């Protein structure tokens, strides 16, 4: 059992029983003991007033001090050879972290015929690009990318790895972290370096967005984080920058459990919500799926994208890829229209950091008005076409 309790020291005070977040500690025959629900989180070790509890976990990065791990890495997610927008944001933020630590900023790029993309990553601030180039890497593949990344990390020992909190980054990050036995903080909105201990301070909303939690990974390396797109400023391009491109070979004999047969682009007249500066979202208050065409018209006039609440998606009115909120996408546009959306907390966590929120709802008491910059009390079916017409006139 990796939780060891010294019966000599234990006073059966039950501090660990109340301090265990999983209710797994109990006192048996006068000595504390961990039960089945134990997750090895170490909370009991911290709360024990007499130092009777020890956590005997194999530190997978042990034997190597944090000092052996250096450099800040950015996973350079690409589609069709084009780096995702969040990669440029991570290079901007990663540059600051690397400069503070006095270390290098490196990008890891997988793809087919992507040398030009690698050069662009240098222009956007990377000192080194680790490049895996192979036809099998043209599209993201969990097993192949995760195996190659894990092997590279074991060989090069980066201190920090940043990935975009995109569907690809959210799939790759945990696979690599699990294989390495290190921690991963998901969906960060802020990163900084602890000036004393040089650990990465990873900040993200918690408890439905009601508090901001800063998470540290002090005992394991590398420190891994996925970062929400559109939160951090993009790096500036400087084509006079120089750096090195280090080519790497794929590991042999990777067991590929899945294969990408075909990539089908979703056809849409409007932009992708993760990238859009303007999002026009609709909820159950739109009343009927055909009324989403009103939102599409407004989005088109403003060069924006259409979003949806879960109620609208669950009703089959709009595709899941447009869902905003806790179980959908987190968005951060300049302007967010909430049309016929009540403002449930699960929706708010996905959109409340938008710069301007315009809520249209017939109920003046709807919670959405509490976070709205501008509120319009009225029928969406009248207000939305009137706004479309007004914007069309203004924009010519
Ligand atoms: C674990 C979990 C995860 C969830 N994840 C998400 C998520 O990712 N995203 C999400 O959105 N929700 C999510 N939900 C669901 C969430 O709790 C709400 O149920 C949902 O957001 C409600 O959607 P809505 O605002 O469209 O519908 P409703 O709450 O029914 O609100 C409809 C609104 O439209 C207004 N209205 C009606 N007719 C008109 C009209 N003609 N003109 C103007 N206004 C009108 C009403 O006044 C009302 O305020 C989640 C819930 C759970 C439990």
């Amino acid at each position: 059992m990796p939780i060891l309790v010294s019966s000599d020291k234990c006073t059966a005070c039950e501090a660990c029983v109340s301090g265990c977040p999983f209710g797994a500690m109990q006192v048996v025959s006068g000595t504390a003991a961990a039960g089945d629900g134990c997750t090895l989180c170490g909370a009991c070790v911290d709360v024990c007033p007499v130092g009777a509890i020890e956590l005997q976990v194999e530190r997978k990065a042990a034997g190597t001090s944090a000092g052996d791990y250096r450099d800040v890495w950015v996973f350079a997610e690409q589609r069709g050879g084009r780096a995702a927008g969040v990669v440029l944001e991570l290079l901007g933020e990663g540059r600051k972290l690397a400069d503070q630590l006095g270390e290098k900023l490196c990008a890891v790029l997988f793809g087919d015929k992507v040398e030009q993309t690698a050069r662009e990553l240098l222009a956007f601030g990377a000192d080194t690009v680790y490049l895996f180039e192979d036809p099998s890497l043209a599209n993201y593949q969990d097993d192949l990318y995760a195996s190659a990344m894990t092997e590279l990390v074991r060989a090069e020992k980066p201190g920090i790895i940043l990935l975009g909190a995109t569907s690809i980054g959210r799939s790759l990050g945990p696979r690599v972290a699990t294989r390495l036995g290190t921690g991963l903080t998901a969906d960060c909105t802020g990163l900084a370096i602890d000036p004393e201990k040089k650990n990465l301070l990873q900040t993200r909303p918690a408890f439905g967005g009601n508090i901001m939690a800063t998470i540290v990974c002090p005992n394991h390396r590398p420190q891994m984080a996925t970062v929400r797109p559109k939160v951090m400023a993009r790096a500036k391009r400087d084509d006079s920058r120089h750096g090195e491109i280090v080519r790497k070979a794929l590991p042999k004999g990777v067991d590929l459990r899945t294969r990408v047969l075909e990539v089908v682009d979703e056809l849409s007249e409007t932009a992708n919500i993760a990238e859009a500066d303007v999002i026009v979202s609709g909820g159950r208050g739109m009343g009927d799926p055909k009324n989403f065409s009103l939102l599409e018209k407004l989005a088109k006039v403003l060069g924006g994208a259409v979003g949806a609440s879960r109620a609208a998606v669950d009703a089959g009115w709009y595709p899941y890829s447009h869902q905003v909120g806790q179980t959908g996408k987190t968005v951060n546009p300049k302007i967010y229209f909430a049309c016929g959306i009540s403002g449930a907390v699960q929706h708010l966590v996905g959109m409340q950091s938008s710069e301007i929120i315009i809520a249209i709802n017939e109920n003046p008491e709807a919670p959405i008005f509490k976070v709205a910059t501008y509120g319009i009390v009225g029928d969406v079916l009248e207000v939305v076409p009137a706004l479309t017409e007004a914007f069309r006139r203004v924009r010519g």
Side-chain angles (χ1 to χ4, degrees), residues 283-284 309-310 323-327 340 342 346-347 361 379-380:
R284 201 179 342 240
S309 74
R310 179 164 161 178
Q323 183 179 315
V324 173
Q326 187 179 318
T327 41
S342 58
Q346 295 90 352
H347 187 82
N361 199 300
D379 184 346
V380 274

Side-chain angles (χ1 to χ4, degrees), residues 297-378:
K297 283 181 191 148
L298 178 55
K300 209 166 167 195
V301 168
L302 297 174
V306 174
S309 74
R310 179 164 161 178
V313 170
D314 284 353
W317 293 359
Y318 225 66
Y320 169 71
S321 58
H322 294 254
Q323 183 179 315
V324 173
Q326 187 179 318
T327 41
K329 291 203 170 96
T330 300
V331 296
N332 190 15
K334 293 198 173 119
I335 306 178
Y336 187 88
F337 288 86
C339 310
I341 293 178
S342 58
V345 65
Q346 295 90 352
H347 187 82
L348 298 185
V349 292
M351 47 61 79
Q352 64 191 357
S353 53
S354 307
E355 273 176 45
I356 294 174
I357 296 171
I358 301 172
I360 306 160
N361 199 300
E362 64 181 8
N363 174 8
E365 305 298 326
I368 192 73
F369 287 127
K370 293 209 173 77
V371 299
T373 323
Y374 302 102
I376 302 173
V377 178

